Amino acid sequence: MTASTQTQQQWYATIALPVPLRSLFDYSLPQTTTPDTRKQLAGCRVKVSFRSQTLIGIIINCHQTPSFDPNKIKPLDEILDKRATFPAELLKLCWWAANYYHHPIGETLYTALPQQLRQGKPGELTTTVWRLTVEGRGLPKDGLKRAPKQQEVLQHLLVHPHLRGDEIEARNISPTTLAAMIKKGLLEKDSTIEPPPTQAEVDNTLVLETPPNLSQEQQAAIDQLRYHQFKTYLLEGITGSGKTEIYLQAIARVLQAGQQALVLIPEIGLTPQTIKRFRQRFSCPIAELHSNVSESKRNQNWMAARDGRAQIVIGTRLAAFTPMKQLGIIIIDEEHDLSYKQQDGLRYSARDLSIYRASTLRIPVILGSATPSLESLHNAIHGRYHHLRLTKRAGSAKPPQINILDLRQKPLFAGLCDEAVKALADTLANGHQAIVFINRRGYAPTLLCHQCGWIAECRSCDAHMTLHRTPLHLHCHHCNAQQPAPRQCPSCHSTQLNPRGLGTEQTEQWLQQQFPQYPVIRIDRDTTQRKNALTETLEEVGKGEPCVLIGTQMLAKGHHLPKIALVVIVDCDQGLLSSDFRGSERLGQLIVQVAGRAGREDVPGRVLIQSHTPDHPLLECLMTKGYHRYARQLLSERQATGLPPFGFSALFRAESKRPENAIEFLQMVARTLSQIAPASRDIQYLGPIPARMEKLNERFRYQFQLKTSSRKVLQGILKKGVKQIDQHALTKRTRWSVDVDALEN
Ligand code: ADP
Ligand code: ZN
Ligand code: ZN
């Protein structure tokens, strides 16, 4: 055979590898691969050697035109999958994400993949089964009749290929029976690939509980939903208006049509309760994908969704990348939640990704929130999303009464003014529960020397250390550094070290002294680290005994706590004075979400907002006109300044131990981008400037921003720019990233 005919016959696979490089790699396929196998190779995992390591890669496609000298192309070591780990639809979604967020495709695919599949574990669900050995099959039909249970197993296996675990349980066959047969050499244990569900099994997805009669508003919203076509719905409904009920009924329709549903929920907090509601309603398999699910379970759930065995998938951000056999609807609950945007690696928005996904699958996507993001609201106002609104609480619950408490010149007790303390006392005396919301954990955000003004600062960051009392120590909330709290000032040796400012621990301690007869329960990251701690606490609170909950924004998430009659927001001034362009949006959402915890079902609710700037026009707008009008006002401010959703931006971040390296890198970025597209009215470049926290964890951080008036222009510049930047020698000295549609500016 001549060399040329050999290359003609040779097939290659283009492979994505988990390396921070934007290129793909060619490997030669074994000569034995048939045209039929090649057709099914895209999305399969392979083992290859790459720079003296063995890596697991993903086949993108097969071809006969190698991208470089065929003699230097290595053969791949092993094809790991019989069936694509990445079905075509998911592969397409990952390509879109890699292109849109300008992230290497190999790393993008790896982000989507559960850890065990990354490590090469089998890509098929297997079950343990019991089969007859050759000897067992040789037995006569009634060969074991003296041991009735063993005879039952034998009879079954003479007609069926194997016995599964669930069948053994259903037939009440004990492990000793099986062990006895194994010992006699009649039976053996094996594992087999689980077959996909039959149509009958799918049809069996019964609705377990009877859904409530819908309110007029709910019915109107349901009636407007269209299935089997792409449309984005913004379901804007106040807390407790019955949004979840709409999700459930929409999903029921989708299941009846033999399709699956994907439900995304925010990162922390509300997972257990939401999932419980879905499980109460539907009998079909529900796969969970979030941080409380073990790696092996995650792996199984992923495959169950891919193979159509799980009809509903509920998960956090990462679940947006679940392969689904027959996806019919996507639901994004609390769509405004910032946890939908990944903040490192592939900086994707699970919401935006899902909308793209729904468009390619031609299915509906529902974004639900009491406090929609300005982006979504803008799209709804302009008709790009279909706007559905629920303005009344479901059932008999009434909206809470909200008051602002003017803190100016008033004495404060662990952050609380007299009126707030009195309201707490009344609530408890009436047998009800209260929430005190403080968005800072620890005892005090600063430790200050009264003699010389020394402040405990983090050695690695531009940040004060937070003082914690339980147990006593100093803690940097940015780099996680911890150290003992000093007794003496390290600078002047004075012992007059005073905590300054307020954290959850301080108010907790004070309230415990004030109301010793009632439980005071703190809910923040420190008290909920243990798995299930939050769920257990919420279950306890759910019983309804009078108590005070103190917590950070973890409490603002959609917990259903029916006995909360009072919510006190200790300090709302920070958000109003924030320099971040999303500060006021977030504050409005937070206030409304926390307030939404008050007064559900039969207990009327009251909300007290403490402020030093009670006349702030934004606060007043929120109080008198509600979130929707407030958000519209913020939108007009954003329009005037060209901020998102009226402008589009990408943030380049760079960090290094030596500040000049990061700055030099970003100057190169600035030169590269402005050569591609000079600054104009529609294209702006800002920076390099120091990041909000310039020094974090021993590294100096800077940023450079590209702002445009159109998404297309932004993407065009990035497409050329990132490629050039990537090849520059300076990339070796700095950690850098590009963040498309960054949350900050
Ligand atoms: P949201 O998701 O908007 O906060 P939920 O769907 O959780 O609201 O509904 C709030 C409460 O009202 C829940 O306890 C729910 O069971 C109940 N609910 C919802 N819809 C109805 C209805 N049509 N009739 C009676 N109760 C309802
Ligand atoms: Zn001092
Ligand atoms: Zn630090």
Side-chain angles (χ1 to χ4, degrees):
M1 218 188 292
T2 65
S4 77
T5 54
Q6 202 172 24
T7 35
Q8 221 174 29
Q9 281 172 354
Q10 181 61 52
W11 279 80
Y12 302 92
T14 304
I15 292 172
L17 293 175
V19 289
L21 298 169
R22 268 159 237 276
S23 36
L24 294 166
F25 304 88
D26 273 350
Y27 285 82
S28 58
L29 283 166
Q31 292 286 351
T32 49
T33 43
T34 61
D36 277 348
T37 358
R38 280 197 296 270
K39 261 186 231 151
Q40 290 172 20
L41 280 181
C44 286
R45 294 169 304 154
V46 287
K47 239 186 219 168
V48 296
S49 52
F50 180 81
R51 295 184 186 158
S52 79
Q53 335 168 38
T54 301
L55 294 180
I56 290 172
I58 314 292
I59 297 186
I60 301 293
N61 58 36
C62 301
H63 59 89
Q64 288 189 292
T65 45
S67 52
F68 63 102
D69 182 359
N71 294 317
K72 290 190 182 149
I73 295 183
K74 285 186 275 188
L76 54 80
D77 296 352
E78 192 187 346
I79 298 172
L80 294 173
D81 293 322
K82 287 199 177 60
R83 211 150 49 102
T85 288
F86 283 88
E89 194 258 323
L90 182 62
L91 206 53
K92 187 172 163 191
L93 185 71
C94 291
W95 267 114
W96 181 83
N99 287 329
Y100 186 85
Y101 295 105
H102 301 272
H103 198 69
I105 180 68
E107 286 191 347
T108 304
L109 291 170
Y110 264 65
T111 304
L113 208 56
Q115 205 183 350
Q116 297 200 334
L117 290 175
R118 284 182 217 167
Q119 295 162 345
K121 291 257 166 68
E124 302 285 349
L125 277 184
T126 55
T127 11
T128 306
V129 293
W130 283 263
R131 298 178 203 284
L132 290 180
T133 58
V134 179
E135 210 173 317
R137 276 198 299 273
L139 284 178
K141 262 188 191 150
D142 55 356
L144 294 168
K145 64 178 182 225
R146 273 185 294 165
K149 274 292 173 191
Q150 292 186 24
Q151 175 64 30
E152 192 182 331
V153 173
L154 175 68
Q155 257 166 355
H156 181 90
L157 287 178
L158 285 173
V159 245
H160 297 101
H162 56 240
L163 252 175
R164 288 197 316 263
D166 55 331
E167 291 169 329
I168 287 166
E169 240 169 73
R171 285 159 180 273
N172 242 333
I173 295 165
S174 73
T176 24
T177 307
L178 298 173
M181 291 178 75
I182 289 172
K183 206 170 161 201
K184 289 186 204 163
L186 303 173
L187 198 66
E188 63 190 0
K189 215 170 166 176
D190 195 3
S191 68
T192 185
I193 292 169
E194 261 189 48
T198 61
Q199 195 52 44
E201 279 168 327
V202 174
D203 287 344
N204 206 13
T205 51
L206 289 172
V207 172
L208 286 179
E209 55 175 17
T210 335
N213 291 328
L214 293 179
S215 70
Q216 248 176 18
E217 279 187 334
Q218 283 175 316
Q219 191 62 54
I222 277 278
D223 289 345
Q224 289 176 61
L225 297 178
R226 294 286 170 275
Y227 305 86
H228 310 291
Q229 55 175 284
F230 168 59
K231 193 166 244 174
T232 309
Y233 297 87
L234 175 63
L235 177 60
E236 181 181 5
I238 62 166
T239 323
S241 59
K243 295 184 291 296
T244 312
E245 189 52 46
I246 292 193
Y247 307 153
L248 292 169
Q249 301 212 8
I251 290 172
R253 281 281 300 266
V254 166
L255 297 183
Q256 276 154 16
Q259 293 179 305
Q260 297 164 290
L262 173 61
V263 183
L264 300 187
I265 52 182
E267 201 66 45
I268 45 167
L270 88 177
T271 328
Q273 279 179 328
T274 311
I275 290 169
K276 206 163 144 197
R277 278 184 74 182
F278 280 79
R279 291 202 184 280
Q280 274 166 1
R281 180 66 57 92
F282 301 111
S283 67
C284 63
I286 298 180
E288 297 178 30
L289 292 166
H290 48 80
S291 54
N292 255 352
V293 175
S294 71
E295 278 303 331
S296 64
K297 191 74 196 159
R298 228 191 108 200
N299 202 10
Q300 284 172 20
N301 287 350
W302 207 79
M303 290 188 276
R306 178 193 64 184
D307 302 344
R309 210 169 289 116
Q311 264 97 56
I312 302 178
V313 170
I314 304 185
T316 47
R317 178 178 67 225
L318 197 55
F321 283 109
T322 315
M324 308 279 291
K325 193 172 180 205
Q326 280 280 9
L327 187 55
I329 194 168
I330 306 179
I331 285 163
I332 302 174
D333 192 26
E334 311 285 356
E335 67 87 27
H336 65 278
D337 198 278
L338 298 183
S339 72
Y340 285 125
K341 178 89 160 89
Q342 168 120 337
Q343 300 285 22
D344 54 18
L346 173 70
R347 292 168 157 77
Y348 67 100
S349 151
R351 177 187 64 204
D352 299 348
L353 189 81
S354 299
I355 294 170
Y356 166 79
R357 189 173 195 184
S359 77
T360 63
L361 289 171
R362 301 207 186 88
I363 57 168
V365 50
I366 305 180
L367 315 181
S369 176
T371 54
S373 64
L374 296 191
E375 279 86 352
S376 298
L377 204 57
H378 178 67
N379 282 325
I381 291 166
H382 290 272
R384 280 186 288 274
Y385 296 172
H386 192 90
H387 204 171
L388 306 170
R389 294 188 69 178
L390 302 177
T391 58
K392 299 185 192 74
R393 283 193 170 182
S396 54
K398 296 271 166 307
Q401 181 203 338
I402 305 181
N403 294 107
I404 299 181
L405 300 181
D406 184 352
L407 290 187
R408 286 173 296 187
Q409 299 170 20
K410 287 197 183 134
L412 295 179
F413 313 93
L416 299 166
C417 70
D418 245 343
E419 285 152 282
V421 176
K422 175 139 196 322
L424 283 168
D426 289 347
T427 303
L428 291 168
N430 289 336
H432 294 152
Q433 300 177 331
I435 286 180
V436 176
F437 176 80
I438 302 173
N439 214 4
R440 223 188 227 131
R441 66 197 166 96
Y443 187 83
T446 308
L447 184 65
L448 173 85
C449 172
H450 191 56
Q451 284 293 326
C452 75
W454 171 88
I455 286 176
E457 280 168 352
C458 177
R459 275 186 216 111
S460 314
C461 309
D462 288 332
H464 294 173
M465 301 286 277
T466 299
L467 179 71
H468 285 245
R469 283 258 174 105
T470 48
L472 182 67
H473 71 287
L474 291 173
H475 194 153
C476 173
H477 288 180
H478 303 280
C479 73
N480 225 10
Q482 299 182 36
Q483 63 192 62
R487 287 193 192 161
Q488 283 186 338
C489 170
S491 173
C492 74
H493 305 294
S494 147
T495 50
Q496 287 200 47
L497 291 176
N498 297 337
R500 275 295 166 92
L502 189 73
T504 45
E505 283 182 12
Q506 202 174 130
T507 310
E508 175 193 28
Q509 209 175 62
W510 189 85
L511 286 171
Q512 272 165 352
Q513 285 157 8
Q514 191 71 12
F515 304 110
Q517 64 276 45
Y518 298 105
V520 174
I521 302 160
R522 175 159 57 91
I523 295 185
D524 56 26
R525 211 184 314 159
D526 298 315
T527 62
T528 53
Q529 264 171 6
R530 188 174 52 80
K531 194 177 160 184
N532 294 335
L534 181 61
T535 317
E536 283 163 25
T537 310
L538 291 177
E539 262 169 30
E540 196 54 40
V541 174
K543 289 180 188 158
E545 293 303 308
C547 67
V548 184
L549 291 174
I550 300 180
T552 54
Q553 59 181 344
M554 278 184 129
L555 270 180
K557 310 267 165 165
H559 308 296
H560 183 62
L561 299 166
K563 300 293 174 198
I564 302 285
L566 173 71
V567 169
V568 179
I569 297 173
V570 173
D571 176 13
C572 80
D573 297 339
Q574 261 176 353
L576 291 171
L577 309 172
S578 155
S579 62
D580 182 359
F581 82 98
R582 276 179 214 273
S584 357
E585 176 185 358
R586 231 176 284 168
L587 177 78
Q589 289 166 344
L590 202 61
I591 291 181
V592 173
Q593 294 285 346
V594 184
R597 305 302 122 220
R600 301 181 61 136
E601 291 176 12
D602 51 331
V603 184
R606 222 179 133 194
V607 179
L608 300 176
I609 301 174
Q610 301 195 131
S611 172
H612 280 98
T613 54
D615 314 319
H616 197 292
L618 274 177
L619 196 55
E620 181 164 325
C621 173
L622 184 64
M623 288 308 114
T624 54
K625 303 203 177 104
Y627 179 80
H628 186 85
R629 301 308 306 248
Y630 174 81
R632 282 187 162 225
Q633 184 165 336
L634 295 181
L635 270 174
S636 54
E637 287 172 17
R638 295 255 188 107
Q639 183 162 27
T641 45
L643 285 164
F646 299 93
F648 301 89
S649 92
L651 204 57
F652 286 85
R653 296 194 183 85
E655 55 173 72
S656 56
K657 291 222 156 124
R658 290 152 55 101
E660 56 276 18
N661 287 351
I663 295 171
E664 203 185 328
F665 174 84
L666 291 176
Q667 281 164 344
M668 180 273 288
V669 171
R671 278 195 310 276
T672 310
L673 297 189
S674 39
Q675 268 164 19
I676 292 166
S680 66
R681 214 177 52 118
D682 294 320
I683 300 171
Q684 288 167 32
Y685 298 111
L686 299 163
I689 55 164
R692 232 170 226 111
M693 186 173 295
E694 186 171 351
K695 188 180 167 208
L696 175 72
N697 217 351
E698 304 285 351
R699 292 176 159 268
F700 292 87
R701 310 175 330 138
Y702 295 84
Q703 63 185 46
F704 176 78
Q705 193 183 20
L706 158 64
K707 272 174 77 177
T708 64
S709 49
S710 109
R711 202 187 290 282
K712 213 170 145 201
V713 171
L714 184 90
Q715 286 291 342
I717 298 172
L718 290 177
K719 191 163 184 218
K720 287 190 194 147
V722 172
K723 209 180 199 171
Q724 291 179 26
I725 291 162
D726 217 24
Q727 279 155 10
H728 204 283
L730 285 175
T731 51
K732 297 201 170 59
R733 293 209 310 237
T734 21
R735 259 192 222 163
W736 71 281
S737 63
V738 55
D739 190 350
V740 178
D741 305 332
L743 291 178
E744 13 167 77
N745 58 349

